[in-house]
Amino acid sequence: MSEPTGVIHDIGYRHYDGARLGRGHATAALAVHSLRGIFGLGRTARSKIIPFVLVGVMLLPAVVSIAIMALIKQEGMRYTEYAVIMQAVLAIFLASQSPYAVAPDLRFRVLPLYLSRPVTLWDYVGAKLAAMTAAMFLLLAVPLTVLFVGEVVIDLPGDTHTVEYLTSMAGAAGYALLLACLGIAVASFTPRRGLGVASVIALYLLASAVSTVLFGVLESMGDDAAAAWAWLINPFFVVDAAVHVGIFGATPASNVIYPPGAGSLVAGVIMIALIGLSVTALIARYRKAASR
Amino acid sequence: MTILATEGLTRRFPRVTALDQLTVTVGPGVTGLVGANGAGKSTLIKILLGLLEPSAGRAQVLGMDTATKGAEIRRIVGYMPEHDCLPPDLSATEFTVHMAQMSGLPRTAARERAADVLRHVGLYEERYRAMGGYSTGMKQRVKLAQALVHDPRLVLLDEPTNGLDPQGRDEMLALIRRIGSEFGISVLVTSHLLGELERVCDHVIVIDGGKLLRSSAIGEFTQQTQTVTVEVEEGQDALAARLGELGETVTPHGRMLLVHVRAPETFDVLRDAVCELDLCLVRLEQGRQRIEDVFREPVNV
Ligand SMILES: Nc1ncnc2c1ncn2[C@@H]1O[C@H](COP(=O)(O)OP(=O)(O)O)[C@@H](O)[C@H]1O
Ligand SMILES: [Mg+2]
C-alpha cells in the first residue's frame, strides 16, 4: 500500500521494555551532568567564560615554563609547587563553580525530583562531590601534564622529573578531594549562588590571611617551631605537607618549612578531618532539605 | 488488582497531624485525591514514594511496602510535584533525558523516550529552548513528561492543574484521562477542586484534616456536584429571585450564585433569566465548587 509522503502518523503511546539500570548508573549520570555544568557545557556561552578563562590562567605557568626550557635551557617550575603558587586561581574556580553544582537544585527545587528516583541522599551528595572533585583534578592535572609532556619533548640534559610529576598528580587528587568537599559543603548551605561564591572565597581568604599573619608574628617573636605550624591553617599547605612531603617525601613548596617530626602526620589528620567534617555537614544539610 | 493501599496510615508533625488513621485502597485507572489545602494530600504522596516515614500504620504501592522497598517503588512510579522544579537554564529535552537516566534508562533509550513523551504531552519546537522562558502551561507539561519518561506503572500527580488558566486546565485534564486509558498507566491525581477531577477520574477519595471522608466510584459523586457557578456584574439578588421563581435551587456564595442543575433545562432557564434581566454575565462555570461546598449540602445516599 502506498502512503502519501509528508504525513506524520501518530503512533500512539509506546511502552518501554528495555533495560532499567541501577542506582550506580543514575549516580554516574548525575555526576557527569554536574561536571558538564561546572564547565558550562550544555549551558549558555556566558556560563562557559569563567571556567574556561580560569583553565587558561592555570595553563599559563606551564606554557611559560615550557618556553623557558625551550629558549634558555633552564628548568621550569617544580611540579609539586604548581598548586601552591596557583592557589588563588584554584580558590576562585572553587568559589565560582561549586555553588553552580549545588545551589540551583535547592533554589529551583529540583532536589525532590532526584529523590523521587531510586537514588538516595548519599548517592546525590556523592555524585556532586565526585563531579567537583573531577573538575578540580582536571584543572590541576591538565597543566601539570602539559608541563610534563613539554619537559619530555624538550629533553633538557639531566633526568626527567617523572617522580615529581607523579607525586604532583597524587597531590592533585588530594587537592581536588579536599577542596571539592570544602567548596560543596559551604556552597550547599545557601540556595543563592552569589552568597555561595562569597562564602567560599571569604573562607579561603580568611584561612590564607590568618596563616600568613600568624606565621609572621610567631617568626618575628623568634618561635620558628610554632611558626611552622601556622602554615597548616591554609588547606593548600595542608595537602602539600600531607601528600607531597608526607607520603612521597618531596621538598615543601618554596619558602615553607613544615613542623618537623609529626608535622606531615598532623597535616594528614587535618586533611581527613576536614573531609569528614564536610561530608557530615553535607549529609545533615541535605537531610534537612529533603524533609521539606 | 490493588495499585496502592494504606492501613491506619498516620503522620504527625510537631504542630499538626497531617494524616490520621487513613485506610484506603486504590485500583487501576485514574483516582482523584481531593481535599482542601492542608488536608494531607502531599504528605500522603511523599509517604507513598518512601520519602517520608509514617508515624504509624503502613502503605503499599504496587505490592511493595513503602518502608522497606522505597527505591524499588521509585523505579516504577512517576512523581509530579506541586511546586516548581525545573532548572531554568536547561531545555525541556535536556532535562527530560537527564531525568530518564536518573530513573535508570540507558542514554539512547532516555533520548528516545524523552522525545516520545514530550510529543505526547504536547511540547514540540519549544522543547529545545531554555525552560526559564516557558509559560506555566508549558512548565506543567514538562513536569508531567519527566514523571512519565521512564514509563512508570503508576504516576502520582500533585495538583497538576494548579496555576493553569481554564483552557490549560482542560488540556491537562484531558492528558490525565489519556494517561489512564490510552497509555494504560494508573494515576493518582490530587486537587482541591472536586468538580474538575470528577471529569477524568474513575474513583475519588476525599480527605479532610488527614482523615478519610469518602472513597467511592465517580458515579456516586456526580449527583452532588451538578452545580453551575454564575457571576454577574450587578443584580445578583434579582437573578437569584428570578431563578427561584422559575423553580431552580440557588445558593448565594460570595459574589457568585451556585445553581443546582436539576435537568439540562436549567441551563436554558439560566440563560433566559440573564437575558430578560439584561444582566452582564461575568462567569458561567460548571462543577467547580470547592470541596467544602459539596459537603455542606445534605448527602442523600
Ligand atoms: N515538613 C512539614 N513540617 C511540618 N508540618 C508539615 C510539613 N509538611 C506538611 N505539614 C503540615 O501537614 C499538613 C498537611 O500538609 P500537606 O500534606 O502539604 O497538605 P496538602 O498537600 O493537602 O495541601 C499541613 O497542615 C501542613 O502544614
Ligand atoms: Mg499539597
Side-chain angles (χ1 to χ4, degrees):
Chain A
M1 202 172 77
S2 73
E3 298 273 356
T5 50
V7 176
I8 299 171
H9 295 277
D10 188 358
I11 24 180
Y13 185 79
R14 286 182 297 179
H15 282 284
Y16 175 74
D17 45 20
R20 287 176 194 266
L21 308 171
R23 271 168 52 199
H25 165 80
T27 308
L30 178 57
V32 171
H33 179 79
S34 306
L35 178 60
R36 285 172 50 84
I38 290 170
F39 285 102
L41 302 174
R43 291 165 61 205
T44 55
R46 236 180 79 223
S47 38
K48 295 182 181 68
I49 297 175
I50 293 183
F52 280 97
V53 164
L54 292 175
V55 167
V57 174
M58 281 302 291
L59 277 164
L60 277 180
V63 172
V64 171
S65 291
I66 290 172
I68 290 174
M69 286 189 282
L71 299 176
I72 55 175
K73 306 290 173 205
Q74 285 198 354
E75 281 193 12
M77 197 163 166
R78 273 175 50 210
Y79 292 98
T80 51
E81 267 181 0
Y82 213 103
V84 166
I85 290 174
M86 299 303 286
Q87 58 178 280
V89 182
L90 289 167
I92 292 172
F93 187 94
L94 183 72
S96 67
Q97 302 314 105
S98 13
Y100 177 76
V102 284
D105 288 353
L106 293 168
R107 174 149 175 220
F108 303 113
R109 308 185 70 185
V110 195
L111 185 65
L113 278 192
Y114 283 121
L115 299 181
S116 77
R117 263 60 196 185
V119 289
T120 63
L121 261 185
W122 284 93
D123 298 334
Y124 178 87
V125 170
K128 293 292 172 179
L129 285 178
M132 199 64 214
T133 304
M136 295 306 292
F137 181 76
L138 285 174
L139 190 64
L140 246 178
V142 167
L144 287 169
T145 305
V146 167
L147 180 58
F148 183 64
V149 170
E151 192 195 339
V152 170
V153 169
I154 293 165
D155 197 19
L156 288 183
D159 291 339
T160 311
H161 298 87
T162 312
V163 173
E164 283 83 347
Y165 167 68
L166 293 175
T167 302
S168 74
M169 291 299 274
Y175 279 115
L177 184 61
L178 177 62
L179 294 175
C181 287
L182 291 173
I184 294 284
V186 173
S188 74
F189 275 85
T190 167
R192 289 170 45 197
R193 267 169 76 183
L195 202 58
V197 173
S199 312
V200 177
I201 205 73
L203 205 70
Y204 163 70
L205 289 176
L206 188 74
S208 139
V210 168
S211 161
T212 313
V213 168
L214 205 61
F215 176 80
V217 170
L218 291 171
E219 199 188 35
S220 70
M221 286 161 52
D223 194 346
D224 286 356
W229 287 101
W231 291 115
L232 298 187
I233 295 171
N234 181 337
F236 286 90
F237 291 110
V238 168
V239 178
D240 187 44
V243 182
H244 293 156
V245 181
I247 300 180
F248 294 95
T251 22
S254 55
N255 306 329
V256 177
I257 302 149
Y258 296 122
S264 290
L265 191 66
V266 172
V269 171
I270 293 176
M271 198 172 148
I272 291 165
L274 284 176
I275 292 171
L277 194 70
S278 303
V279 173
T280 312
L282 269 169
I283 291 294
R285 164 69 182 112
Y286 279 101
R287 282 242 167 86
K288 195 169 153 235
S291 70
R292 291 266 161 95
Chain B
M1 196 177 78
T2 306
I3 295 293
L4 64 91
T6 69
E7 213 181 286
L9 197 64
T10 302
R11 171 69 205 208
R12 284 181 283 271
F13 288 114
R15 273 196 263 143
V16 286
T17 301
L19 287 178
D20 196 354
Q21 291 288 325
L22 189 71
T23 302
V24 286
T25 318
V26 169
V30 182
T31 304
L33 176 64
V34 184
N37 279 333
K41 306 181 294 291
S42 301
T43 303
L44 175 61
I45 286 186
K46 284 177 197 150
I47 293 179
L48 293 176
L49 283 167
L51 299 177
L52 196 65
E53 276 177 31
S55 312
R58 312 185 315 126
Q60 276 202 340
V61 177
L62 300 167
M64 294 180 280
D65 198 299
T66 56
T68 52
K69 291 272 195 299
E72 283 85 344
I73 291 172
R74 293 193 294 274
R75 186 181 301 281
I76 49 169
V77 171
Y79 167 52
M80 172 176 173
E82 61 185 322
H83 52 74
D84 284 341
C85 58
L86 306 176
D89 59 348
L90 290 187
S91 71
T93 298
E94 289 170 302
F95 181 70
T96 315
V97 170
H98 177 55
M99 280 301 154
Q101 287 190 288
M102 292 307 297
S103 291
L105 269 59
R107 191 159 175 83
T108 351
R111 280 170 197 247
E112 276 172 28
R113 284 288 310 171
D116 265 14
V117 161
L118 285 170
R119 183 168 52 81
H120 282 300
V121 300
L123 273 181
Y124 302 95
E125 289 314 309
E126 55 272 40
R127 67 178 191 267
Y128 302 110
R129 289 210 319 262
M131 295 188 287
Y134 283 12
S135 66
T136 310
M138 282 154 75
K139 284 183 182 161
Q140 291 298 86
R141 284 163 197 262
V142 183
K143 281 166 61 178
L144 183 60
Q146 65 77 32
L148 292 171
V149 73
H150 53 302
D151 189 28
R153 301 238 335 256
L154 165 72
V155 276
L156 308 173
L157 312 178
D158 204 353
E159 311 242 4
T161 57
N162 220 359
L164 295 178
D165 57 24
Q167 191 197 340
R169 184 186 303 265
D170 286 347
E171 288 168 2
M172 177 59 73
L173 290 170
L175 207 46
I176 292 169
R177 187 64 246 172
R178 272 183 69 206
I179 295 170
S181 49
E182 202 178 304
F183 299 8
I185 298 171
S186 292
V187 180
L188 181 72
V189 50
T190 78
S191 176
H192 52 277
L193 302 167
L194 175 60
E196 62 173 33
L197 283 189
E198 72 179 25
R199 285 149 57 185
V200 297
C201 293
D202 305 309
H203 192 101
V204 172
I205 295 168
V206 184
I207 59 172
D208 187 36
K211 287 197 178 72
L212 180 67
L213 278 190
R214 229 180 129 158
S215 169
S216 47
I218 193 64
E220 297 171 39
F221 274 96
T222 39
Q223 285 171 324
Q224 295 165 41
T225 55
Q226 293 293 322
T227 316
V228 273
T229 307
V230 190
E231 187 179 345
V232 286
E233 214 154 65
E234 265 167 29
Q236 178 182 330
D237 296 337
L239 180 62
R242 180 93 184 109
L243 289 170
E245 284 166 26
L246 296 169
E248 302 295 341
T249 320
V250 183
T251 327
H253 189 275
R255 293 174 45 86
M256 285 164 298
L257 295 177
L258 300 179
V259 183
H260 181 74
V261 182
R262 100 196 118 69
E265 292 84 71
T266 301
F267 294 109
D268 300 334
V269 172
L270 186 57
R271 178 198 58 206
D272 296 343
V274 171
C275 286
E276 277 168 33
L277 295 169
D278 203 14
L279 298 176
C280 191
L281 190 61
V282 178
R283 184 211 302 249
L284 186 62
E285 211 170 6
Q286 198 175 357
R288 268 209 57 210
Q289 71 276 57
R290 289 167 308 147
I291 193 69
E292 303 92 277
D293 306 327
V294 174
F295 288 91
R296 207 173 287 145
E297 292 171 19
V299 180
N300 45 0
V301 181

